[in-house]
Amino acid sequence: MTPEDVIAIVSGLPRSGTSLMMQMLAAGGLPALTDNIRAADEDNPRGYLEFERAKQIKHDRDWLNHARGRVVKMVHLLLLDLPQDRRYRVIFMRRDLQEVLASQRRMLDRHRVTGARLTDEALARTFRDQMEKVLSWLRVQPNSELLEVAYGDLIAEPRQQAQRINRFLGGGLDEAAMVSAVDPSLYRNRSSPVRQKPS
Amino acid sequence: MSQRVLLIGWDAADWKFINPLLDQGLMSNLESLVNRGAVGNLATLRPSLSPILWTSIATGKTADKHGVTGFVEPAPGGGVRLFSSTSRRTKAIWNILSQNRLRSIVIGWYASHPAEPILGTCVSSSFFDGPPADQRQPWDVAAGSVHPATLAPVISHLRVHPAELSRDDLRRMIPEIDQIDPGTDARPGKLAEALARTVSVHSVATGAMEAEPWDFLAVYYDALDVVGHLFMPFHPPRHPAVAERDFQRYQHVMRELYLFYDQMLGRLLQIAGDETTVILVSDHGFHSDHLRPANPQPSESEAATWHRHYGVLAMRGPRLIEDERIYGATLLDIAPTVLTLLDLPVGLDMDGRPLLQAFSDPPANLKTVSSWDQQPGDAGMHPAELQQAETESREAIAQLVALGYLPAETSESQKAAEIAAAESKFNLAIVHSSHGRSEQAMHLLEELHASNPESPRYALALAKVCANLQLHPRSREIVEGLEARGLRSAEGDLLIGAALFNEGRRDESLERLEQAQSLYPPNPRLLGLIGNVRLTQGDWPRAAAAFGDALRLDDDDPHAHNGLARAALQLGDHESAAEHALRAIGLLYFFPQAHYHLGMAFKGLGEPDRAIRSLGIAVTQSPGFRDAHAELARLYEQQNNVALFLRHQKLAAGMPASPQAPGSGSQE
């Protein structure tokens, strides 16, 4: 499939590096489908690059007509509602779950909203089960391709990851620009100084 | 040959509809079951909602124990979903059998999805859902609807798509089918859907019966209820609110459907063989006569007003008596009876008891266990973690919404979830109330009334429970609040009448009730309450007249029969008293007052031994029944049985007088 036929999707849990990946791809020349409704803030100083209508995929799919040849961000559970009549390349971000939960907690605290009434262990287990369910489903979809990217690898080896991602998306991206979008100082909530494999 | 039990569920089947068909020789298969077995009424439970009732049949427990409290519950991802097998908190018959290495086949049972991993085969209700709009498209098998999953591709072709039913197939039920435009009248299409589902269930059940070994098979058919809600308004005689043309077109549907059911029963009996015990049940009856609700097209919440308190029970098998009548059976007794037939212990935490009266040689010592839920072993239930996972999933999704990555529930789906939660709570309150747990019911209803003050259903239910707790001023306050909003009702008038009576304002009570008589269509409960007020006034002839009027409307009202028995006793008509007391007991066996009246009738007829037997049942059911103890003392004294005379005399002396207060006649 040509890049023009494909809808690129960046997915994963919230706070797993999806915004960073969107920034990399945008910097590399892949236009993002975004509405800028959620502005940059302390949790994402360089912006979220989100598209609000994507959340309504279950009931509203017309916007997909504008997504061909572009990249859009969708949280993992929404992937299950993607219609089968289009082609997708999904970049799925993986990050240590303890880091993810810590980051989510900070974001919730900052916005003064209540999250799940679960222990971290239970929430991590549930998120892990959700991701595995989504990934298992994605792997057998004939109209989708999947690339898993570890957030830690992105920070530690941006050049190699940029090459890998560009190849996955069919080439044509400015890998140097992608690398420049990665700023290690933004790697907060790190659970250990050693690069973490996805959990 | 090892024993087997076949449990057939005919939702909404009713003897009142069936008996004329039997008399005409039109249901020969059911007739053979009736003639060779034991039959009776099967009392339903309140609230009369099918998912609750069929789960009670399968577990022998009330809804507060089994956990299925309605049609839908809030779904993990928002909105609502049907109650599922993971919602059930206790073992069903097939789980207990699995644990004891007995094989079960379960087909289409209510709230059985996802299919449980039992020893045997389970095909959930969802397997039969979702035929595609276009018959040429694939009909997906719902994930998790078949256990073992390998069976799914084998049986999926047994499902019948509604489009496969031709006009010829429907012509027996709708002779004028060719004149009906499906574009403007969807009813034939809905009938086809119900029939297709029925045939699908039957095909899978009979296929499994022949192909798989089994010790227990349970199969559920819903069409009599589904079709009944659509077409019973058109059954003869024509209801004034029903258009003549609709009556002409659809008056045959229900009759022909029952005949079709009889054909299916014949096939089931043929495959099962004579050595299999067959139990045919329905969860409630269905009004088909003058007691049909005035509104032939009720809302969803009013649909249950079409349900009659008594469903059907017919049993035959090698260990059962033949050609006998069973009294006092309820839905809760089915599971204990099945377990006893299969020589398994009955759980003491079950709310029903085995119908030993139907056994030709009842077991001398009933095997029991404190609770099957406490017994370890593989029962083929979904892991507890699955239910826990759903709770955790709800919370995880809530976090994603809070972070702004998933949409907040739409107001519609949130509203649906709130309604589902409220209805479950309401249904649970009705369960508590109908089992004498009025305080627990009141607690739930107060919460519902406070958060839904605009709901007359919740308000009236709360008023009723307050009345049961003798909190008549509160009951009256609630009803008067509704009336101030222009929401006067027969139920409200009943409650005001009872409240006024209990406040000592008997004349006002009677005036209110008689005024209500003129306002509403004839209401047997209203007449029964008037009869009770007349009884307390000592006006026996007018009491008898009121109860007689109530019974002319509904001959299956045990409280009206009991009231008439009492009035007859006071009028010296002991034969009539015995007749009506027996009828009351036949309809509601646990009825101490009725047993007392029967005992008094036997005493008046000069049959002291029978009187002692009936009065003995009264005090067994109600140990504090002073008047019954006093009468037993007199009878034993006449028989010179000093020990028992003294015993009952002492018991009577130490007890307060038995109250004689009017009520609506039920615990609700």
Side-chain angles (χ1 to χ4, degrees):
Chain A
M1 49 184 165
T2 68
E4 293 76 23
D5 296 331
V6 173
I7 298 172
I9 298 175
V10 172
S11 187
L13 285 170
R15 317 307 295 156
S16 62
T18 50
S19 297
L20 175 60
M21 179 55 67
M22 290 292 290
Q23 290 150 20
M24 283 183 73
L25 294 174
L30 181 58
L33 185 64
T34 179
D35 51 27
N36 296 314
I37 288 179
R38 180 144 61 164
D41 60 20
E42 223 178 299
D43 293 302
N44 260 322
R46 290 196 278 171
Y48 287 86
L49 292 169
E50 291 173 339
F51 188 61
E52 190 66 20
R53 278 179 76 184
K55 290 189 220 172
Q56 305 295 336
I57 183 70
K58 196 167 194 151
H59 308 290
D60 173 12
R61 293 169 171 182
D62 290 345
W63 59 270
L64 287 166
N65 297 329
H66 305 287
R68 278 206 180 89
R70 302 167 91 167
V71 60
V72 65
K73 185 165 75 168
M74 298 175 78
V75 79
H76 60 301
L77 288 177
L78 293 175
L79 297 177
L80 299 172
D81 294 322
L82 287 170
Q84 302 304 296
D85 58 354
R86 291 170 171 85
R87 307 195 70 82
Y88 310 101
R89 284 193 176 120
V90 179
I91 298 172
F92 200 96
M93 297 302 298
R94 304 292 298 258
R95 185 179 180 183
D96 177 88
L97 273 175
Q98 295 311 313
E99 292 182 8
V100 165
L101 294 187
S103 181
Q104 287 186 7
R105 200 159 38 243
R106 281 163 58 94
M107 188 171 174
L108 289 167
D109 289 345
R110 211 189 310 280
H111 293 278
R112 294 199 177 96
V113 292
T114 308
R117 291 165 297 183
L118 293 174
T119 62
D120 275 3
E121 182 192 348
L123 190 53
R125 178 177 59 235
T126 305
F127 280 149
R128 190 179 304 118
D129 289 347
Q130 286 177 352
M131 284 195 296
E132 288 315 311
K133 178 183 170 185
V134 170
L135 289 171
S136 299
W137 177 83
L138 260 179
R139 288 183 188 114
V140 299
Q141 297 309 304
N143 58 325
S144 298
E145 293 174 58
L146 172 67
L147 179 73
E148 295 180 58
V149 175
Y151 181 75
D153 289 348
L154 206 56
I155 301 299
E157 308 167 337
R159 197 178 312 280
Q160 290 91 320
Q161 294 303 312
Q163 271 180 2
R164 186 171 166 248
I165 293 162
N166 188 27
R167 193 164 51 240
F168 173 70
L169 291 175
L173 296 181
D174 182 344
E175 290 177 16
M178 289 170 69
V179 171
S180 69
V182 177
D183 178 353
S185 72
L186 289 177
Y187 190 1
R188 295 151 295 156
N189 299 312
R190 195 197 308 240
S191 58
S192 120
V194 176
R195 188 182 76 219
Q196 295 290 314
K197 287 291 181 190
S199 55
Chain B
M1 178 183 289
S2 60
Q3 48 210 354
R4 299 195 304 185
V5 174
L6 168 61
L7 176 61
I8 305 169
W10 283 4
D11 199 309
D14 193 311
W15 286 125
K16 270 195 181 182
F17 201 105
I18 289 170
N19 285 335
L21 297 174
L22 289 175
D23 292 341
Q24 295 170 57
L26 294 173
M27 295 184 78
S28 57
N29 298 301
L30 181 54
E31 186 170 5
S32 75
L33 192 61
V34 167
N35 291 339
R36 295 173 54 199
V39 299
N41 287 319
L42 193 64
T44 191
L45 304 170
R46 299 278 183 231
S48 176
L49 301 176
S50 289
I52 299 176
L53 302 177
W54 289 102
T55 307
S56 284
I57 289 172
T59 61
K61 296 179 180 175
T62 51
D64 56 310
K65 289 180 181 173
H66 65 56
V68 176
T69 52
F71 282 97
V72 295
E73 59 180 347
V80 298
R81 68 173 188 189
L82 296 175
F83 266 93
S84 66
S85 53
T86 53
S87 311
R88 178 164 39 84
R89 296 196 297 260
T90 190
K91 290 174 185 169
I93 295 170
W94 44 85
N95 300 121
I96 296 170
L97 267 54
S98 286
Q99 198 163 342
N100 288 275
R101 312 313 297 162
L102 293 174
R103 300 185 68 88
S104 299
I105 297 178
V106 183
I107 307 296
W109 207 262
Y110 235 115
S112 61
H113 186 77
E116 290 175 276
I118 58 173
L119 180 62
T121 300
C122 183
V123 179
S124 81
S125 44
S126 293
F127 177 76
F128 303 98
D129 291 342
D134 183 346
Q135 183 191 0
R136 293 166 296 185
Q137 294 301 315
W139 185 349
D140 293 335
V141 172
S145 63
V146 180
H147 165 79
T150 49
L151 207 55
V154 177
I155 61 173
S156 62
H157 73 281
L158 294 176
R159 295 177 299 182
V160 173
H161 193 284
E164 292 182 59
L165 298 181
S166 67
R167 283 176 175 251
D168 284 340
D169 292 324
L170 297 177
R171 191 162 282 112
R172 274 194 77 95
M173 295 186 184
I174 308 176
E176 296 181 12
I177 185 81
D178 295 324
Q179 297 166 32
I180 299 173
D181 174 12
T184 56
D185 189 345
R187 287 170 292 193
K190 291 189 188 303
L191 177 61
E193 286 173 11
L195 284 176
R197 185 185 181 94
T198 297
V199 172
S200 301
V201 166
H202 190 64
S203 295
V204 172
T206 51
M209 280 174 87
E210 292 185 296
E212 306 280 329
W214 53 278
D215 301 291
F216 172 74
L217 190 143
V219 56
Y220 167 76
Y221 301 88
D222 70 353
L224 286 174
D225 186 72
V226 171
V227 175
H229 282 294
L230 284 170
F231 291 96
M232 195 63 85
F234 310 117
H235 185 68
R238 185 171 77 86
H239 190 286
V242 167
E244 177 66 30
R245 190 176 74 166
D246 283 346
F247 174 72
Q248 290 302 330
R249 281 181 171 172
Y250 298 124
Q251 62 177 301
H252 306 289
V253 170
M254 293 309 299
R255 177 179 178 275
E256 293 299 323
L257 183 58
Y258 266 94
L259 301 191
F260 180 61
Y261 262 53
D262 191 66
Q263 288 179 14
M264 292 192 294
L265 175 62
R267 182 70 183 125
L268 291 172
L269 295 176
Q270 182 188 34
I271 300 173
D274 288 344
E275 292 304 304
T276 297
T277 298
V278 178
I279 304 177
L280 172 69
V281 301
S282 67
D283 55 339
H284 53 73
F286 204 97
H287 289 300
S288 56
D289 53 15
H290 59 283
L291 291 173
R292 284 178 286 184
N295 179 5
Q297 292 178 322
S299 64
E300 269 189 36
S301 62
E302 295 169 337
T305 57
W306 279 79
H307 297 170
R308 213 169 69 85
H309 188 70
Y310 296 103
V312 308
L313 171 64
M315 312 165 56
R316 74 114 168 101
R319 297 176 63 183
L320 302 180
I321 50 177
E322 283 195 17
D323 197 21
E324 265 293 334
R325 184 72 194 260
I326 301 175
Y327 294 98
T330 80
L331 301 186
L332 298 168
D333 301 327
I334 302 303
T337 301
V338 170
L339 293 176
T340 303
L341 283 165
L342 293 170
D343 291 323
L344 288 173
V346 173
L348 290 172
D349 60 341
M350 290 182 173
D351 297 296
R353 292 293 174 261
L355 297 168
L356 298 180
Q357 57 188 293
F359 284 65
S360 52
D361 185 16
N365 295 303
L366 190 63
K367 293 186 207 173
T368 61
V369 69
S370 58
S371 168
W372 276 108
D373 292 331
Q374 306 304 323
Q375 300 299 310
D378 182 6
M381 294 185 82
H382 292 298
E385 296 78 45
L386 180 58
Q387 198 167 1
Q388 182 187 355
E390 290 179 347
T391 303
E392 291 173 352
S393 177
R394 261 196 296 272
E395 291 294 327
I397 286 172
Q399 176 134 324
L400 296 176
V401 172
L403 288 165
Y405 286 83
L406 280 180
E409 277 186 85
T410 62
S411 59
E412 290 84 13
S413 76
Q414 192 170 8
K415 187 73 183 161
E418 286 170 5
I419 291 172
E423 284 297 299
S424 277
K425 189 181 270 190
F426 177 73
N427 292 335
L428 203 51
I430 299 301
V431 170
H432 285 309
S433 174
S434 66
H435 285 83
R437 299 188 292 267
S438 296
E439 289 202 10
Q440 285 170 268
M442 188 170 77
H443 174 70
L444 293 171
L445 289 167
E446 288 279 17
E447 287 178 0
L448 281 170
H449 183 51
S451 52
N452 301 273
E454 75 293 345
S455 168
R457 273 174 75 228
Y458 296 164
L460 281 172
L462 175 58
K464 202 173 201 181
V465 164
C466 288
N468 290 342
L469 287 167
Q470 308 299 315
L471 300 172
H472 294 285
R474 174 90 175 108
S475 174
R476 197 149 65 83
E477 176 198 359
I478 294 166
V479 175
E480 286 170 352
L482 288 172
E483 291 181 354
R485 289 162 49 198
L487 296 171
R488 187 173 177 177
S489 65
E491 188 68 41
D493 278 321
L494 268 166
L495 289 165
I496 296 268
L500 288 169
F501 180 90
N502 280 282
E503 290 168 15
R505 296 154 68 179
R506 297 184 183 190
D507 289 339
E508 285 176 72
S509 168
L510 212 47
E511 184 185 337
R512 180 74 186 235
L513 293 172
E514 287 176 342
Q515 187 190 56
Q517 254 191 300
S518 65
L519 285 174
Y520 308 110
N523 183 325
R525 288 176 59 221
L526 198 55
L527 286 162
L529 187 53
I530 291 173
N532 278 325
V533 174
R534 294 290 187 198
L535 282 176
T536 56
Q537 290 181 324
D539 189 344
W540 317 120
R542 290 172 89 173
F547 288 123
D549 288 341
L551 289 172
R552 266 183 285 283
L553 289 173
D554 183 5
D555 193 48
D556 283 339
D557 182 350
H559 301 283
H561 280 292
N562 179 59
L564 192 44
R566 181 163 172 225
L569 280 172
Q570 298 296 335
L571 292 168
D573 185 351
H574 295 107
E575 277 202 25
S576 179
E579 176 195 339
H580 287 286
L582 269 171
R583 280 283 283 148
I585 291 162
L587 290 162
L588 180 62
Y589 188 74
F590 192 91
F591 201 167
Q593 269 207 359
H595 288 283
Y596 171 78
H597 291 143
L598 183 60
M600 297 306 290
F602 282 138
K603 180 184 172 187
L605 291 168
E607 298 189 54
D609 290 336
R610 295 178 87 178
I612 286 173
R613 193 154 54 240
S614 292
L615 291 166
I617 295 172
V619 298
T620 299
Q621 293 182 354
S622 179
F625 201 153
R626 189 189 84 162
D627 292 352
H629 282 295
E631 287 299 329
L632 278 166
R634 287 189 201 102
L635 286 164
Y636 281 126
E637 185 181 25
Q638 288 168 8
Q639 292 187 341
N640 295 318
N641 189 327
V642 175
L644 287 173
F645 154 66
L646 287 173
R647 176 167 178 263
H648 286 285
Q649 185 189 51
K650 186 176 175 185
L651 283 167
M655 287 173 185
S658 311
Q660 294 289 345
S664 61
S666 69
Q667 290 215 330
E668 284 188 51

